[in-house]
Amino acid sequence: MLLRVANAADAQYVEILCQWYAESAKSRGVGIAKRDPNYLIKKMDKGDAIIAFIDDQLAGFCYIETFEDNKFVVNSGLIVNTELRKEGLGRAIKHRVFELSRTKYPAAKIFGITTSAAVMKINNELGYRPVTFPELTQSDDFWKGCSSCKNYGILMENERKMCLCTGMVYDKLDDQFSQATIEILSQER
C-alpha cells in the first residue's frame, strides 16, 4: 500500500475519483456532495490531498481545505475503491490526511461532517469529538459545498444548525503535530 501526498501528475485520476463519489452516493443512498474535477485538481496541485495505491492501482483519496484564514481545516472527500473496502484502507488514508492537516495547519481546528458510522469511528480514534454545527466553521464557502447533497434543504431549513450529518472537531492544538515540520510528503506503508 502506498499513501502519499497527491501532486499535479495525479490529475489523471480525477475522472475516476468523481465517478467513485457519484457511485458511492447512489449505492449508499446518502447525501454525498458531488465533487468538481477542477477542484480536485487544485487540491492535488497544492499538495492538499492524500492519494492511495495498491499494486500501482488507484485505491483511495481524501483532501483538505481551509476556512476562516486557516482557523478551520476540513478533511473531506474520503473515498475508497469499492473492491478494496473493509481492508483498513479508509482508516489509513484518514490517518495520513489528519497528519497532513495537523502538520500544514498546526493552529487550525480540524472538523468534518458525515453520515458514515465508519468515518465517525475513525474520527473518534483520532481524537475528534461530536459537536453542534455552530461550533464548526461558519464560512459560506464550506456550507455551499453541501448544496449538491440531497439533504441540503434540511440543512437550510435549520439555518445550518443541524442536518442528518454529525459534526465532529479535533481541537487539541498542543499535540505532537503542532511541533512538527512538514516531513510527511511521501510515505509508504
Side-chain angles (χ1 to χ4, degrees):
M1 173 185 327
L2 172 69
L3 300 171
R4 64 169 173 76
V5 174
N7 59 54
D10 294 317
Q12 65 182 310
Y13 301 111
V14 165
E15 292 300 323
I16 193 158
L17 290 169
C18 289
Q19 180 182 346
W20 288 356
Y21 288 125
E23 290 170 358
S24 182
K26 184 177 178 182
S27 70
R28 291 177 27 202
V30 296
I32 297 173
K34 293 178 184 173
R35 296 327 197 268
D36 178 276
N38 292 322
Y39 186 76
L40 296 182
I41 290 170
K42 288 178 186 175
K43 291 294 161 189
M44 292 172 175
D45 289 347
K46 191 175 175 187
D48 277 348
I50 296 295
I51 194 163
F53 298 90
I54 294 179
D55 299 327
D56 295 324
Q57 175 187 2
L58 179 64
F61 184 76
C62 190
Y63 62 90
I64 61 179
E65 53 191 322
T66 61
F67 299 96
E68 297 181 36
D69 295 320
N70 299 337
K71 182 179 174 184
F72 290 93
V73 63
V74 66
N75 300 160
S76 193
L78 175 63
I79 192 77
V80 173
N81 180 332
T82 55
E83 297 172 10
L84 302 172
R85 290 187 180 160
K86 306 286 186 203
E87 301 297 323
L89 184 57
R91 172 174 276 105
I93 294 169
K94 192 80 166 126
H95 279 256
R96 290 284 287 130
V97 80
F98 176 83
E99 292 171 5
L100 180 66
S101 299
R102 290 297 301 132
T103 304
K104 283 188 84 168
Y105 305 101
K109 295 178 183 179
I110 303 174
F111 76 100
I113 59 173
T114 187
T115 58
S116 168
V119 170
M120 285 184 250
K121 182 178 178 183
I122 296 166
N123 284 350
N124 187 49
E125 291 169 6
L126 288 167
Y128 288 65
R129 61 184 174 81
V131 295
T132 61
F133 281 17
E135 295 177 67
L136 306 175
T137 185
Q138 295 307 301
S139 169
D140 290 336
D141 286 338
F142 172 75
W143 296 104
K144 281 182 204 170
C146 295
S147 64
S148 64
C149 173
K150 72 178 190 174
N151 299 316
Y152 187 66
I154 296 168
L155 176 70
M156 297 312 290
E157 182 179 304
N158 289 296
E159 300 174 345
R160 298 190 324 204
K161 293 181 181 161
M162 69 172 127
C163 193
L164 299 183
C165 282
T166 297
M168 299 186 81
V169 70
Y170 179 92
D171 56 4
K172 298 172 189 156
L173 303 183
D174 60 348
D175 64 8
Q176 75 266 21
F177 296 105
S178 64
Q179 312 302 318
T181 59
I182 301 175
E183 295 179 13
I184 61 170
L185 295 178
S186 182
Q187 178 177 344
E188 190 170 333
R189 290 189 178 174

